[in-house]
Amino acid sequence: MPCLRPWAAVLAAGLVVVLAGCASEPTRIVPGTTAAETLQRLGAPTGRYPLNGGGERLQYSRMPAGFEVTDIDVDAAGKVVSVTQVLNEARFGHDIKVDQWRQNEVLAFYGRPYETSRVSSFDGTVWTWRYKAVSERRMLYIYIDPTGVVRRYHTGDDLELDRIRD
């Protein structure tokens, strides 16, 4: 058996790492995959939520350090029907149901927030998620009133890195 040159061994090791990373990337799961296979490939989800019709949402969040939340919806038969990276600025206006969603629906869609805070201009809690728009770091803010209802949302720049540098 011929010996691998040092650079070839490094390349082969790198390829193994890349392929292992792809196997654990939630957005690589395709519809039709079984829930069992999804769990085997990705491991335990960060959240599990029941769906109407008997299905389940497997949620894979990279919060607090990351920028993605992927919802994998599984039907009652145990098959993946959709895979969605939900922290997508183009989707917020369509997905967020102001004056309709309650905080449990926010959790089931976006998972646990990066942080929660209060502001003087709103009677309630502001939940915040980090995401990227192209390569820009951004924040999604969802305002939840004391009764648990979403009252508004907005996006803004993620200034955390600027605070760390100062």
Side-chain angles (χ1 to χ4, degrees), residues 7 11-13 17-18 21 27 43 60 63 70 77 85 87 121 123 131-132 139 149 155 157:
W7 62 266
L11 182 63
V17 169
V18 167
T27 58
Y60 291 88
M63 294 292 131
T70 303
Q85 199 296 97
L87 289 177
S121 61
D123 181 22
Y131 70 96
K132 284 193 176 178
M139 304 290 262
V149 176
T155 61
D157 293 330

Side-chain angles (χ1 to χ4, degrees), residues 31-48:
T33 305
T34 66
E37 183 181 356
T38 299
L39 292 167
Q40 181 181 11
R41 285 175 56 188
L42 301 178
T46 54
R48 292 179 95 143

Side-chain angles (χ1 to χ4, degrees), residues 18-38:
V18 167
L19 291 175
C22 289
S24 64
E25 174 55 43
T27 58
R28 299 218 183 242
I29 299 295
V30 296
T33 305
T34 66
E37 183 181 356
T38 299

Side-chain angles (χ1 to χ4, degrees), residues 87-135:
L87 289 177
N88 179 334
E89 197 166 75
R91 297 180 51 99
F92 295 153
H94 177 265
D95 292 337
I96 299 170
K97 307 294 186 229
V98 173
D99 297 329
Q100 295 175 33
W101 267 3
R102 300 193 60 78
Q103 64 187 29
N104 61 332
E105 293 165 302
V106 175
L107 282 172
F109 201 83
Y110 291 115
R112 282 176 259 137
Y114 165 69
E115 70 179 3
T116 60
S117 59
R118 293 192 171 275
V119 294
S120 61
S121 61
F122 178 72
D123 181 22
T125 307
V126 182
W127 291 11
T128 307
W129 289 262
R130 301 168 71 216
Y131 70 96
K132 284 193 176 178
V134 186
S135 62

Side-chain angles (χ1 to χ4, degrees), residues 60-73:
Y60 291 88
S61 174
R62 299 192 190 229
M63 294 292 131
F67 300 94
E68 299 93 22
V69 174
T70 303
D71 287 349
I72 299 175
D73 290 351

